[in-house]
Amino acid sequence: MNVREPRMGEGGAREGEAARAHDDAVALGPTAILAEDEPLLADELADLLKLLWPQLRIVARAGDGVAALNAIDSFLPDVALLDIHMPLLSGIEVARRIGGRCHVAFITSYDQHALEAFEAGAIDYVLKPPTAARLMTTVERLKARLLQPPADLRRALKSVDQAPAAKSRYLQWINASRGSAVQLITVDEIVYFRSDQKYTLVVTPDGEALIKKTIKELTDELDPTMFWQVHRSTLVNVHAIHSVTRDGRGSLTLRLKQRPETLPVSEAYNHLFRQM
């Protein structure tokens, strides 16, 4: 077998090419995969990240935990943004399986136990729905961490495993149609829901939108301490109620803090306001 000896300077040229390739990769900026099973929320996160961290390149998006693992294997990203509650594998399970192969930030709805565990373990997270201010905090933390090797989070995530099972996962936001646009509305913003033929009207202080969920479905999915059914067609946010009035026949009517209309209360639900 003939082995060609490298010519003078050829080894140095190869080293120079490798160095330039590394420099080019660094110049392109860090890479990330975004694993979130709700497409609208994933779009919103991607847009915010592009605004707050233009150098970050999202090289792949995944809608479940298995796809997230495959994307990490294929693209070897610097950062993995993982939704905690994903189909097939949770974000926690994905983080365990990748060990310390990349930096991790979790995407989560408000969960006090999980957030306390994350803070204790110095784990980065993004709250749903995302805000620019909170996401900027995560971005700055991740930028600082990129200067160090990724941490193996398996030990830090043990305390999250030991969290008591949540009694229920209530809706935190609604995807609603407003004209030709689809809007993400947090439940805190909603004054009341009212069924409107085959759709349900979502009413906020400054407007209205439509969803296809029924009042029955919403009753099962919303926090019952926050949303009360006051009529067969109406669910009201108790924090949006200004006062309750009773007419001469004993019928109750709700006045709202940030809306001019009033809401009638069916007799079957009068007991909710006996202490008011």
Side-chain angles (χ1 to χ4, degrees), residues 33-36 60-77 80-83 86-102 104:
I33 66 113
L34 174 57
E36 167 57 57
R61 285 167 54 162
D64 61 68
V66 171
L69 273 178
N70 290 337
I72 291 167
D73 287 340
S74 299
F75 293 95
L76 305 176
L81 295 154
L82 305 174
D83 183 15
M86 286 189 293
L88 304 182
L89 289 173
S90 72
I92 301 289
E93 292 169 311
V94 172
R96 275 202 216 93
R97 296 194 185 199
I98 64 175
R101 290 162 55 193
C102 65
V104 170

Side-chain angles (χ1 to χ4, degrees), residues 40-61:
L40 288 173
L41 187 62
D43 289 343
E44 186 176 5
L45 267 170
D47 289 344
L48 277 173
L49 284 166
K50 186 176 181 180
L51 177 68
L52 300 174
W53 196 356
Q55 298 81 13
L56 183 72
R57 292 182 293 130
I58 297 177
V59 292
R61 285 167 54 162

Side-chain angles (χ1 to χ4, degrees), residues 177-209:
S177 298
R178 183 171 284 180
S180 59
V182 177
Q183 184 175 7
L184 191 74
I185 305 173
T186 63
V187 295
D188 292 338
E189 299 174 69
I190 298 169
V191 178
Y192 65 91
F193 297 90
R194 174 177 282 166
S195 63
D196 181 20
Q197 297 179 357
K198 63 179 180 179
Y199 295 100
T200 295
L201 196 65
V202 182
V203 181
T204 62
D206 60 352
E208 300 174 353

Side-chain angles (χ1 to χ4, degrees), residues 136-203:
M136 192 65 212
T137 300
T138 301
V139 165
E140 293 300 333
R141 288 178 178 175
L142 286 171
K143 284 181 178 179
R145 290 176 192 233
L146 285 175
L147 302 174
Q148 305 169 1
D152 187 334
L153 299 179
R154 283 174 289 191
R155 180 175 296 179
L157 292 174
K158 283 184 179 179
S159 60
V160 180
D161 283 343
Q162 294 164 1
K167 294 181 181 178
S168 181
R169 287 188 60 208
Y170 299 124
L171 286 178
Q172 300 295 316
W173 63 90
I174 300 285
N175 293 326
S177 298
R178 183 171 284 180
S180 59
V182 177
Q183 184 175 7
L184 191 74
I185 305 173
T186 63
V187 295
D188 292 338
E189 299 174 69
I190 298 169
V191 178
Y192 65 91
F193 297 90
R194 174 177 282 166
S195 63
D196 181 20
Q197 297 179 357
K198 63 179 180 179
Y199 295 100
T200 295
L201 196 65
V202 182
V203 181

